[in-house]
Amino acid sequence: MSQRIFIVTGAKGGVGATTIAIKLVARLPAPAERMIVDADLTGKRSLAVWYDLSDDLDRARSIGTATVARAPDGTLVMELARTYEMASRKLRRPLRAR
């Protein structure tokens, strides 16, 4: 079975990338479980807020791993980093502002 992977990104904040990703997950047919990944290293946690999973993701969190929680609609929500600092530690090298 093949999987379809869609990557939605924006060049700056506020362009609607999170909204587009959520709509894609909700509307496209999927033969298996659906998963949406929050890879926003700024720490906004948009998906956690949208799916009301902040507490669930925080309880499941362990250092050095991605965190996953199941939304009420069955979608798996993965959060790579809660904050910019956590993302920096996970990458094992400092991220520098330019």
Side-chain angles (χ1 to χ4, degrees):
M1 175 174 69
S2 65
Q3 294 179 331
R4 294 187 295 174
I5 299 171
F6 296 89
I7 299 171
V8 181
T9 185
K12 65 174 209 67
V15 297
T18 300
T19 302
I20 291 169
I22 290 167
K23 298 288 184 185
L24 278 172
V25 167
R27 295 195 178 176
L28 290 176
E33 282 188 313
R34 299 168 183 270
M35 177 178 279
I36 186 166
V37 178
D38 187 346
D40 184 352
L41 300 183
T42 62
K44 291 184 230 171
R45 304 186 80 189
S46 299
L47 293 177
V49 171
W50 177 270
Y51 288 103
D52 194 23
L53 292 174
S54 296
D55 291 340
D56 294 338
L57 289 165
D58 289 344
R59 279 192 295 273
R61 188 167 317 286
S62 63
I63 300 292
T65 63
T67 306
V68 179
R70 189 174 299 278
D73 69 358
T75 300
L76 291 172
V77 178
M78 178 184 285
E79 192 173 63
L80 297 183
R82 181 177 173 199
T83 65
Y84 184 83
E85 289 77 18
M86 285 181 76
S88 176
R89 279 183 289 201
K90 287 180 184 179
L91 295 173
R92 297 181 189 246
R93 62 182 168 81
L95 296 175
R96 302 181 202 281
R98 295 180 189 223

PDB file of all heavy atoms in Angstrom, residues 63-92:
ATOM      1  N   ILE A  63      11.887  13.719  26.779  1.00  0.00           N
ATOM      2  CA  ILE A  63      12.999  14.408  26.127  1.00  0.00           C
ATOM      3  C   ILE A  63      13.537  13.576  24.958  1.00  0.00           C
ATOM      4  O   ILE A  63      13.732  12.376  25.072  1.00  0.00           O
ATOM      5  CB  ILE A  63      14.136  14.664  27.148  1.00  0.00           C
ATOM      6  CG1 ILE A  63      13.638  15.519  28.306  1.00  0.00           C
ATOM      7  CG2 ILE A  63      15.345  15.307  26.478  1.00  0.00           C
ATOM      8  CD1 ILE A  63      13.292  16.937  27.933  1.00  0.00           C
ATOM      9  N   GLY A  64      13.765  14.244  23.846  1.00  0.00           N
ATOM     10  CA  GLY A  64      14.383  13.608  22.693  1.00  0.00           C
ATOM     11  C   GLY A  64      13.460  12.830  21.789  1.00  0.00           C
ATOM     12  O   GLY A  64      13.926  12.167  20.870  1.00  0.00           O
ATOM     13  N   THR A  65      12.156  12.880  22.026  1.00  0.00           N
ATOM     14  CA  THR A  65      11.231  12.142  21.169  1.00  0.00           C
ATOM     15  C   THR A  65      10.106  13.054  20.696  1.00  0.00           C
ATOM     16  O   THR A  65       9.793  14.052  21.344  1.00  0.00           O
ATOM     17  CB  THR A  65      10.592  10.949  21.907  1.00  0.00           C
ATOM     18  OG1 THR A  65       9.822  11.441  22.995  1.00  0.00           O
ATOM     19  CG2 THR A  65      11.645   9.986  22.408  1.00  0.00           C
ATOM     20  N   ALA A  66       9.507  12.689  19.595  1.00  0.00           N
ATOM     21  CA  ALA A  66       8.303  13.374  19.138  1.00  0.00           C
ATOM     22  C   ALA A  66       7.157  12.906  20.024  1.00  0.00           C
ATOM     23  O   ALA A  66       7.169  11.798  20.540  1.00  0.00           O
ATOM     24  CB  ALA A  66       8.023  13.048  17.686  1.00  0.00           C
ATOM     25  N   THR A  67       6.163  13.755  20.198  1.00  0.00           N
ATOM     26  CA  THR A  67       5.028  13.435  21.053  1.00  0.00           C
ATOM     27  C   THR A  67       3.791  13.239  20.187  1.00  0.00           C
ATOM     28  O   THR A  67       3.553  14.005  19.263  1.00  0.00           O
ATOM     29  CB  THR A  67       4.794  14.575  22.059  1.00  0.00           C
ATOM     30  OG1 THR A  67       6.007  14.822  22.748  1.00  0.00           O
ATOM     31  CG2 THR A  67       3.730  14.219  23.053  1.00  0.00           C
ATOM     32  N   VAL A  68       2.992  12.218  20.491  1.00  0.00           N
ATOM     33  CA  VAL A  68       1.802  11.906  19.698  1.00  0.00           C
ATOM     34  C   VAL A  68       0.594  11.784  20.619  1.00  0.00           C
ATOM     35  O   VAL A  68       0.679  11.206  21.700  1.00  0.00           O
ATOM     36  CB  VAL A  68       1.979  10.582  18.919  1.00  0.00           C
ATOM     37  CG1 VAL A  68       0.730  10.249  18.116  1.00  0.00           C
ATOM     38  CG2 VAL A  68       3.193  10.657  18.014  1.00  0.00           C
ATOM     39  N   ALA A  69      -0.540  12.335  20.178  1.00  0.00           N
ATOM     40  CA  ALA A  69      -1.813  12.184  20.885  1.00  0.00           C
ATOM     41  C   ALA A  69      -2.906  11.996  19.835  1.00  0.00           C
ATOM     42  O   ALA A  69      -2.772  12.434  18.698  1.00  0.00           O
ATOM     43  CB  ALA A  69      -2.103  13.398  21.754  1.00  0.00           C
ATOM     44  N   ARG A  70      -3.987  11.351  20.237  1.00  0.00           N
ATOM     45  CA  ARG A  70      -5.109  11.109  19.318  1.00  0.00           C
ATOM     46  C   ARG A  70      -6.200  12.147  19.556  1.00  0.00           C
ATOM     47  O   ARG A  70      -6.677  12.324  20.663  1.00  0.00           O
ATOM     48  CB  ARG A  70      -5.669   9.710  19.507  1.00  0.00           C
ATOM     49  CG  ARG A  70      -6.686   9.330  18.446  1.00  0.00           C
ATOM     50  CD  ARG A  70      -7.129   7.898  18.548  1.00  0.00           C
ATOM     51  NE  ARG A  70      -6.051   6.940  18.388  1.00  0.00           N
ATOM     52  CZ  ARG A  70      -5.571   6.541  17.205  1.00  0.00           C
ATOM     53  NH1 ARG A  70      -6.067   7.026  16.094  1.00  0.00           N
ATOM     54  NH2 ARG A  70      -4.604   5.646  17.148  1.00  0.00           N
ATOM     55  N   ALA A  71      -6.594  12.802  18.475  1.00  0.00           N
ATOM     56  CA  ALA A  71      -7.678  13.787  18.522  1.00  0.00           C
ATOM     57  C   ALA A  71      -9.022  13.067  18.598  1.00  0.00           C
ATOM     58  O   ALA A  71      -9.121  11.885  18.257  1.00  0.00           O
ATOM     59  CB  ALA A  71      -7.625  14.674  17.285  1.00  0.00           C
ATOM     60  N   PRO A  72     -10.075  13.759  19.031  1.00  0.00           N
ATOM     61  CA  PRO A  72     -11.396  13.142  19.119  1.00  0.00           C
ATOM     62  C   PRO A  72     -11.894  12.544  17.795  1.00  0.00           C
ATOM     63  O   PRO A  72     -12.628  11.562  17.796  1.00  0.00           O
ATOM     64  CB  PRO A  72     -12.301  14.290  19.568  1.00  0.00           C
ATOM     65  CG  PRO A  72     -11.395  15.209  20.305  1.00  0.00           C
ATOM     66  CD  PRO A  72     -10.076  15.116  19.589  1.00  0.00           C
ATOM     67  N   ASP A  73     -11.472  13.114  16.670  1.00  0.00           N
ATOM     68  CA  ASP A  73     -11.903  12.572  15.376  1.00  0.00           C
ATOM     69  C   ASP A  73     -11.054  11.389  14.912  1.00  0.00           C
ATOM     70  O   ASP A  73     -11.248  10.870  13.825  1.00  0.00           O
ATOM     71  CB  ASP A  73     -11.924  13.670  14.309  1.00  0.00           C
ATOM     72  CG  ASP A  73     -10.536  14.174  13.931  1.00  0.00           C
ATOM     73  OD1 ASP A  73      -9.526  13.704  14.513  1.00  0.00           O
ATOM     74  OD2 ASP A  73     -10.458  15.050  13.050  1.00  0.00           O
ATOM     75  N   GLY A  74     -10.069  10.969  15.738  1.00  0.00           N
ATOM     76  CA  GLY A  74      -9.228   9.828  15.412  1.00  0.00           C
ATOM     77  C   GLY A  74      -7.896  10.184  14.779  1.00  0.00           C
ATOM     78  O   GLY A  74      -7.022   9.336  14.646  1.00  0.00           O
ATOM     79  N   THR A  75      -7.735  11.427  14.369  1.00  0.00           N
ATOM     80  CA  THR A  75      -6.483  11.861  13.767  1.00  0.00           C
ATOM     81  C   THR A  75      -5.360  11.825  14.799  1.00  0.00           C
ATOM     82  O   THR A  75      -5.543  12.275  15.927  1.00  0.00           O
ATOM     83  CB  THR A  75      -6.613  13.308  13.227  1.00  0.00           C
ATOM     84  OG1 THR A  75      -7.639  13.346  12.248  1.00  0.00           O
ATOM     85  CG2 THR A  75      -5.315  13.802  12.614  1.00  0.00           C
ATOM     86  N   LEU A  76      -4.205  11.287  14.405  1.00  0.00           N
ATOM     87  CA  LEU A  76      -3.034  11.323  15.270  1.00  0.00           C
ATOM     88  C   LEU A  76      -2.326  12.651  15.053  1.00  0.00           C
ATOM     89  O   LEU A  76      -2.072  13.039  13.911  1.00  0.00           O
ATOM     90  CB  LEU A  76      -2.083  10.174  14.944  1.00  0.00           C
ATOM     91  CG  LEU A  76      -2.584   8.788  15.296  1.00  0.00           C
ATOM     92  CD1 LEU A  76      -1.636   7.728  14.753  1.00  0.00           C
ATOM     93  CD2 LEU A  76      -2.733   8.634  16.796  1.00  0.00           C
ATOM     94  N   VAL A  77      -2.027  13.344  16.130  1.00  0.00           N
ATOM     95  CA  VAL A  77      -1.337  14.620  16.060  1.00  0.00           C
ATOM     96  C   VAL A  77       0.052  14.428  16.658  1.00  0.00           C
ATOM     97  O   VAL A  77       0.187  14.022  17.809  1.00  0.00           O
ATOM     98  CB  VAL A  77      -2.108  15.715  16.828  1.00  0.00           C
ATOM     99  CG1 VAL A  77      -1.342  17.035  16.797  1.00  0.00           C
ATOM    100  CG2 VAL A  77      -3.497  15.893  16.240  1.00  0.00           C
ATOM    101  N   MET A  78       1.078  14.704  15.856  1.00  0.00           N
ATOM    102  CA  MET A  78       2.451  14.583  16.315  1.00  0.00           C
ATOM    103  C   MET A  78       3.050  15.974  16.439  1.00  0.00           C
ATOM    104  O   MET A  78       2.919  16.797  15.541  1.00  0.00           O
ATOM    105  CB  MET A  78       3.295  13.758  15.341  1.00  0.00           C
ATOM    106  CG  MET A  78       4.757  13.645  15.763  1.00  0.00           C
ATOM    107  SD  MET A  78       5.770  12.761  14.552  1.00  0.00           S
ATOM    108  CE  MET A  78       5.232  11.096  14.852  1.00  0.00           C
ATOM    109  N   GLU A  79       3.690  16.199  17.557  1.00  0.00           N
ATOM    110  CA  GLU A  79       4.335  17.484  17.810  1.00  0.00           C
ATOM    111  C   GLU A  79       5.834  17.223  17.955  1.00  0.00           C
ATOM    112  O   GLU A  79       6.258  16.481  18.842  1.00  0.00           O
ATOM    113  CB  GLU A  79       3.758  18.086  19.092  1.00  0.00           C
ATOM    114  CG  GLU A  79       4.123  19.515  19.317  1.00  0.00           C
ATOM    115  CD  GLU A  79       3.362  20.079  20.514  1.00  0.00           C
ATOM    116  OE1 GLU A  79       3.556  19.587  21.633  1.00  0.00           O
ATOM    117  OE2 GLU A  79       2.597  21.018  20.298  1.00  0.00           O
ATOM    118  N   LEU A  80       6.632  17.803  17.054  1.00  0.00           N
ATOM    119  CA  LEU A  80       8.067  17.555  17.089  1.00  0.00           C
ATOM    120  C   LEU A  80       8.755  18.329  18.204  1.00  0.00           C
ATOM    121  O   LEU A  80       9.681  17.831  18.819  1.00  0.00           O
ATOM    122  CB  LEU A  80       8.705  17.888  15.744  1.00  0.00           C
ATOM    123  CG  LEU A  80       8.234  17.043  14.570  1.00  0.00           C
ATOM    124  CD1 LEU A  80       9.004  17.421  13.315  1.00  0.00           C
ATOM    125  CD2 LEU A  80       8.382  15.569  14.851  1.00  0.00           C
ATOM    126  N   ALA A  81       8.328  19.544  18.450  1.00  0.00           N
ATOM    127  CA  ALA A  81       8.945  20.347  19.502  1.00  0.00           C
ATOM    128  C   ALA A  81       7.917  21.310  20.065  1.00  0.00           C
ATOM    129  O   ALA A  81       7.153  21.914  19.333  1.00  0.00           O
ATOM    130  CB  ALA A  81      10.120  21.133  18.945  1.00  0.00           C
ATOM    131  N   ARG A  82       7.897  21.432  21.384  1.00  0.00           N
ATOM    132  CA  ARG A  82       6.953  22.355  22.012  1.00  0.00           C
ATOM    133  C   ARG A  82       7.461  23.783  21.940  1.00  0.00           C
ATOM    134  O   ARG A  82       6.698  24.723  21.845  1.00  0.00           O
ATOM    135  CB  ARG A  82       6.743  21.948  23.461  1.00  0.00           C
ATOM    136  CG  ARG A  82       5.759  22.826  24.166  1.00  0.00           C
ATOM    137  CD  ARG A  82       5.517  22.344  25.556  1.00  0.00           C
ATOM    138  NE  ARG A  82       4.692  23.306  26.237  1.00  0.00           N
ATOM    139  CZ  ARG A  82       4.592  23.375  27.530  1.00  0.00           C
ATOM    140  NH1 ARG A  82       5.247  22.543  28.291  1.00  0.00           N
ATOM    141  NH2 ARG A  82       3.833  24.264  28.088  1.00  0.00           N
ATOM    142  N   THR A  83       8.774  23.967  22.011  1.00  0.00           N
ATOM    143  CA  THR A  83       9.349  25.299  21.955  1.00  0.00           C
ATOM    144  C   THR A  83      10.587  25.292  21.077  1.00  0.00           C
ATOM    145  O   THR A  83      11.160  24.255  20.784  1.00  0.00           O
ATOM    146  CB  THR A  83       9.775  25.795  23.353  1.00  0.00           C
ATOM    147  OG1 THR A  83      10.826  24.950  23.818  1.00  0.00           O
ATOM    148  CG2 THR A  83       8.618  25.794  24.325  1.00  0.00           C
ATOM    149  N   TYR A  84      11.035  26.456  20.708  1.00  0.00           N
ATOM    150  CA  TYR A  84      12.248  26.620  19.908  1.00  0.00           C
ATOM    151  C   TYR A  84      13.442  26.004  20.636  1.00  0.00           C
ATOM    152  O   TYR A  84      14.257  25.315  20.044  1.00  0.00           O
ATOM    153  CB  TYR A  84      12.470  28.111  19.673  1.00  0.00           C
ATOM    154  CG  TYR A  84      13.644  28.427  18.785  1.00  0.00           C
ATOM    155  CD1 TYR A  84      13.515  28.385  17.402  1.00  0.00           C
ATOM    156  CD2 TYR A  84      14.872  28.771  19.316  1.00  0.00           C
ATOM    157  CE1 TYR A  84      14.577  28.683  16.577  1.00  0.00           C
ATOM    158  CE2 TYR A  84      15.937  29.072  18.495  1.00  0.00           C
ATOM    159  CZ  TYR A  84      15.787  29.029  17.133  1.00  0.00           C
ATOM    160  OH  TYR A  84      16.845  29.316  16.330  1.00  0.00           O
ATOM    161  N   GLU A  85      13.513  26.212  21.967  1.00  0.00           N
ATOM    162  CA  GLU A  85      14.627  25.680  22.746  1.00  0.00           C
ATOM    163  C   GLU A  85      14.623  24.155  22.744  1.00  0.00           C
ATOM    164  O   GLU A  85      15.659  23.516  22.626  1.00  0.00           O
ATOM    165  CB  GLU A  85      14.578  26.194  24.186  1.00  0.00           C
ATOM    166  CG  GLU A  85      14.910  27.671  24.314  1.00  0.00           C
ATOM    167  CD  GLU A  85      13.763  28.593  23.910  1.00  0.00           C
ATOM    168  OE1 GLU A  85      12.595  28.139  23.854  1.00  0.00           O
ATOM    169  OE2 GLU A  85      14.035  29.764  23.620  1.00  0.00           O
ATOM    170  N   MET A  86      13.442  23.536  22.870  1.00  0.00           N
ATOM    171  CA  MET A  86      13.361  22.078  22.838  1.00  0.00           C
ATOM    172  C   MET A  86      13.791  21.554  21.471  1.00  0.00           C
ATOM    173  O   MET A  86      14.469  20.539  21.377  1.00  0.00           O
ATOM    174  CB  MET A  86      11.952  21.597  23.172  1.00  0.00           C
ATOM    175  CG  MET A  86      11.606  21.710  24.634  1.00  0.00           C
ATOM    176  SD  MET A  86       9.944  21.112  24.964  1.00  0.00           S
ATOM    177  CE  MET A  86      10.224  19.357  24.880  1.00  0.00           C
ATOM    178  N   ALA A  87      13.394  22.246  20.419  1.00  0.00           N
ATOM    179  CA  ALA A  87      13.787  21.822  19.076  1.00  0.00           C
ATOM    180  C   ALA A  87      15.297  21.879  18.938  1.00  0.00           C
ATOM    181  O   ALA A  87      15.916  20.988  18.373  1.00  0.00           O
ATOM    182  CB  ALA A  87      13.123  22.709  18.032  1.00  0.00           C
ATOM    183  N   SER A  88      15.896  22.908  19.467  1.00  0.00           N
ATOM    184  CA  SER A  88      17.342  23.062  19.408  1.00  0.00           C
ATOM    185  C   SER A  88      18.041  21.894  20.095  1.00  0.00           C
ATOM    186  O   SER A  88      18.992  21.330  19.581  1.00  0.00           O
ATOM    187  CB  SER A  88      17.741  24.388  20.056  1.00  0.00           C
ATOM    188  OG  SER A  88      19.142  24.495  20.088  1.00  0.00           O
ATOM    189  N   ARG A  89      17.552  21.498  21.275  1.00  0.00           N
ATOM    190  CA  ARG A  89      18.152  20.373  21.993  1.00  0.00           C
ATOM    191  C   ARG A  89      17.954  19.075  21.238  1.00  0.00           C
ATOM    192  O   ARG A  89      18.817  18.211  21.223  1.00  0.00           O
ATOM    193  CB  ARG A  89      17.548  20.249  23.384  1.00  0.00           C
ATOM    194  CG  ARG A  89      18.173  21.209  24.368  1.00  0.00           C
ATOM    195  CD  ARG A  89      17.575  20.946  25.692  1.00  0.00           C
ATOM    196  NE  ARG A  89      16.194  21.426  25.592  1.00  0.00           N
ATOM    197  CZ  ARG A  89      15.445  21.750  26.612  1.00  0.00           C
ATOM    198  NH1 ARG A  89      15.886  21.609  27.822  1.00  0.00           N
ATOM    199  NH2 ARG A  89      14.235  22.197  26.450  1.00  0.00           N
ATOM    200  N   LYS A  90      16.797  18.896  20.610  1.00  0.00           N
ATOM    201  CA  LYS A  90      16.531  17.659  19.887  1.00  0.00           C
ATOM    202  C   LYS A  90      17.462  17.509  18.702  1.00  0.00           C
ATOM    203  O   LYS A  90      17.848  16.412  18.338  1.00  0.00           O
ATOM    204  CB  LYS A  90      15.076  17.617  19.421  1.00  0.00           C
ATOM    205  CG  LYS A  90      14.125  17.367  20.548  1.00  0.00           C
ATOM    206  CD  LYS A  90      12.718  17.330  20.059  1.00  0.00           C
ATOM    207  CE  LYS A  90      11.799  17.168  21.229  1.00  0.00           C
ATOM    208  NZ  LYS A  90      10.428  17.151  20.867  1.00  0.00           N
ATOM    209  N   LEU A  91      17.821  18.609  18.098  1.00  0.00           N
ATOM    210  CA  LEU A  91      18.729  18.562  16.960  1.00  0.00           C
ATOM    211  C   LEU A  91      20.181  18.403  17.414  1.00  0.00           C
ATOM    212  O   LEU A  91      21.057  18.195  16.592  1.00  0.00           O
ATOM    213  CB  LEU A  91      18.582  19.833  16.117  1.00  0.00           C
ATOM    214  CG  LEU A  91      17.229  20.009  15.436  1.00  0.00           C
ATOM    215  CD1 LEU A  91      17.145  21.372  14.782  1.00  0.00           C
ATOM    216  CD2 LEU A  91      17.003  18.917  14.406  1.00  0.00           C
ATOM    217  N   ARG A  92      20.427  18.509  18.717  1.00  0.00           N
ATOM    218  CA  ARG A  92      21.752  18.353  19.324  1.00  0.00           C
ATOM    219  C   ARG A  92      22.764  19.356  18.826  1.00  0.00           C
ATOM    220  O   ARG A  92      23.951  19.130  18.830  1.00  0.00           O
ATOM    221  CB  ARG A  92      22.276  16.939  19.127  1.00  0.00           C
ATOM    222  CG  ARG A  92      21.402  15.933  19.822  1.00  0.00           C
ATOM    223  CD  ARG A  92      21.949  14.563  19.637  1.00  0.00           C
ATOM    224  NE  ARG A  92      20.996  13.610  20.125  1.00  0.00           N
ATOM    225  CZ  ARG A  92      21.201  12.827  21.168  1.00  0.00           C
ATOM    226  NH1 ARG A  92      22.321  12.885  21.809  1.00  0.00           N
ATOM    227  NH2 ARG A  92      20.278  11.981  21.542  1.00  0.00           N
TER     228      ARG A  92
END
